[in-house]
DNA sequence: AACGCTGTCAACCGCCCTCGG
DNA sequence: GCCGAGGGCGGTTGACAGCGT
């Protein structure tokens, strides 16, 4: 049995919203709050799908939406966050107050992606656009060094940050004494996953609980996590990202070459979009 | 003025995840 | 544990405006 569609096709209106529809939706949400999107058409008489109502509100009608062009600062942040997170637009938007995921996605697709590709002229480099499950991307696993145009490429701080999801950086902590990043031995000792074909891959450790339990197993203590308030794992990553930005990437400079060898799979998006931050 | 090309952005589509019964 | 409803998300589409020829 197939899944029931969110609304009956043919009964619902499509296309651009009218000023009257906007007013009806805004008045309703102002009075009753967000949520229960599917009840809105029934309650208001709007001939719009609940999902359409949600989208209209979140992307256009919300009072805190910021209008106008993306500023250079915002653009810089988008590029860095995209290098870190890939196409997880909602997470990126969460770091840009007043901007919506749709707006950032559009801006990236129409402006940034083309421009950066042009600047770097590296069309052959893997881009994450077609990665279906971006929360668990199957990122290819090159070594920490690449040969290109006869130059030896060494991961710079930007590349290290791009690998945060896989490197699992930790807050500065005397136990690990590793600056901002997890001890390489632990990274190398991440648990593995086995798919239906029996292929083994490194665990992405997509939740904070995964990471926490692994750290406790390795270090015998949960002090690292107890001392920091991370409401979500993404916040955890962002706090690390912010700390690196605030420090002007200097917190990455203490790495020895041996540390770099422990870096996990590199996000190629960051390689192509931040080539100026590669040491060639 | 007419046409075509390009950029922009709102909106839709379909997949996925979560949660409650 | 299973299933369906509800909602979130990223990819894509299509309308429209602006610009150049």
């Amino acid at each position: 049995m197939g899944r029931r569609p969110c609304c009956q096709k043919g009964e619902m209106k499509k296309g651009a919203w009218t000023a009257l529809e906007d007013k009806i939706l805004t008045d309703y949400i102002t009075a009753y709050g967000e949520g229960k999107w599917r009840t809105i058409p029934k309650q208001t008489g709007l001939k719009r799908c609940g999902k359409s109502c949600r989208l209209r509100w979140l992307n256009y009608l919300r009072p805190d939406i910021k209008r106008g062009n993306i500023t250079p600062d915002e653009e810089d942040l988008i590029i860095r966050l995209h290098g870190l997170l890939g196409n997880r637009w909602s997470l990126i938007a969460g770091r840009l107050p007043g901007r919506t995921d749709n707006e950032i996605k559009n801006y990236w697709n129409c402006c940034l992606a083309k421009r950066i590709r042009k600047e770097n002229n590296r069309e052959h480099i893997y881009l994450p656009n077609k990665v279906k499950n971006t929360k668990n991307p199957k990122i290819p696993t090159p070594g920490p060094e690449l040969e290109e145009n006869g130059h030896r490429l060494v991961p710079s701080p930007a590349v290290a940050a791009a690998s945060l999801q896989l490197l699992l950086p930790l807050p500065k902590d005397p136990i690990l004494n590793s600056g901002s990043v997890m001890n390489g031995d632990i990274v190398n000792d991440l648990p593995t996953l086995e798919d239906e074909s029996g292929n083994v891959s490194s665990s992405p450790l997509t939740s904070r609980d995964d990471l926490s339990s692994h750290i406790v197993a390795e270090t015998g203590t949960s002090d690292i996590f107890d001392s920091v308030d991370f409401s979500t794992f993404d916040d955890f990553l962002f706090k690390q990202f912010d700390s690196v930005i605030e420090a002007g990437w200097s917190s990455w400079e203490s790495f020895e070459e041996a540390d770099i060898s422990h870096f996990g799979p590199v996000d190629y998006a960051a390689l192509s979009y931040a080539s100026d931050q590669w040491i060639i």
Side-chain angles (χ1 to χ4, degrees), chain A residues 24-204:
Chain A
I24 292 170
L25 180 59
T26 302
D27 288 349
Y28 181 85
I29 293 175
T30 302
Y32 300 102
E34 295 181 30
K36 302 282 181 188
W37 300 105
R38 290 190 194 212
T39 67
I40 291 178
K42 295 171 192 165
Q43 298 292 328
T44 63
L46 277 173
K47 297 219 173 289
R48 294 283 183 173
C49 169
K51 289 179 104 173
S52 184
C53 293
R54 173 184 166 271
L55 210 62
R56 182 64 178 171
W57 173 255
L58 292 178
N59 288 341
Y60 196 81
L61 297 176
R62 256 189 320 162
D64 57 337
I65 283 183
K66 195 173 173 181
R67 302 284 174 198
N69 295 336
I70 302 282
T71 67
D73 284 347
E74 287 175 320
E75 183 181 300
D76 182 60
L77 189 55
I78 290 169
I79 292 169
R80 289 184 184 279
L81 288 170
H82 188 270
L84 168 66
L85 298 165
N87 294 0
R88 297 176 72 182
W89 306 115
S90 61
L91 282 176
I92 294 173
R95 304 296 290 178
L96 291 154
R99 300 296 185 185
T100 69
D101 54 354
N102 209 30
E103 186 178 14
I104 292 168
K105 179 172 58 182
N106 283 333
Y107 186 68
W108 181 269
N109 288 334
C110 80
C111 307
L112 288 179
K114 284 179 187 171
R115 200 178 80 206
I116 293 169
R117 276 198 200 103
K118 197 175 178 181
E119 284 174 2
N120 293 310
N121 191 26
R122 287 182 170 180
E123 295 284 352
H124 63 285
I125 288 179
Y126 166 84
L127 295 174
N129 296 354
K130 299 298 180 186
V131 175
K132 194 63 183 174
N133 185 355
T134 52
K135 289 179 182 173
N136 232 342
K138 288 186 171 61
I139 299 172
T141 56
E145 299 163 6
L146 297 173
E147 295 291 329
E148 185 166 301
N149 300 327
H151 296 289
R152 182 177 184 229
L153 302 184
V154 178
S156 73
V159 176
S163 304
L164 280 175
Q165 271 184 290
L166 301 162
L167 289 172
L168 304 170
L170 292 173
K172 289 184 179 180
D173 188 276
I175 295 172
L176 293 176
N177 191 29
S178 62
S180 293
V181 84
M182 184 189 292
N183 179 295
D185 290 339
I186 296 176
V187 173
N188 276 354
D189 198 27
L190 292 174
T192 57
L193 297 175
E194 191 170 336
D195 64 19
E196 293 167 354
S197 308
N199 297 320
V200 175
S201 61
S202 295
S203 165

Side-chain angles (χ1 to χ4, degrees), chain A residues 209-260:
Chain A
D209 287 344
D210 289 343
L211 176 59
S212 178
S213 59
H214 187 70
I215 294 298
V216 170
E218 291 292 333
T219 66
T221 174
S222 64
D223 290 351
I224 297 165
F225 284 85
D226 293 344
S227 62
V228 183
D229 175 26
F230 296 121
S231 55
T232 69
F233 188 65
D234 287 324
D235 278 351
F236 170 73
L237 290 177
F238 278 131
K239 283 177 191 294
Q240 283 306 109
F241 187 66
D242 287 344
S243 70
V244 171
I245 291 174
E246 285 167 12
W249 307 99
S250 60
S251 59
W252 297 92
E253 290 172 0
S254 60
F255 283 102
E256 303 294 336
E257 198 166 338
D259 294 322
I260 294 173

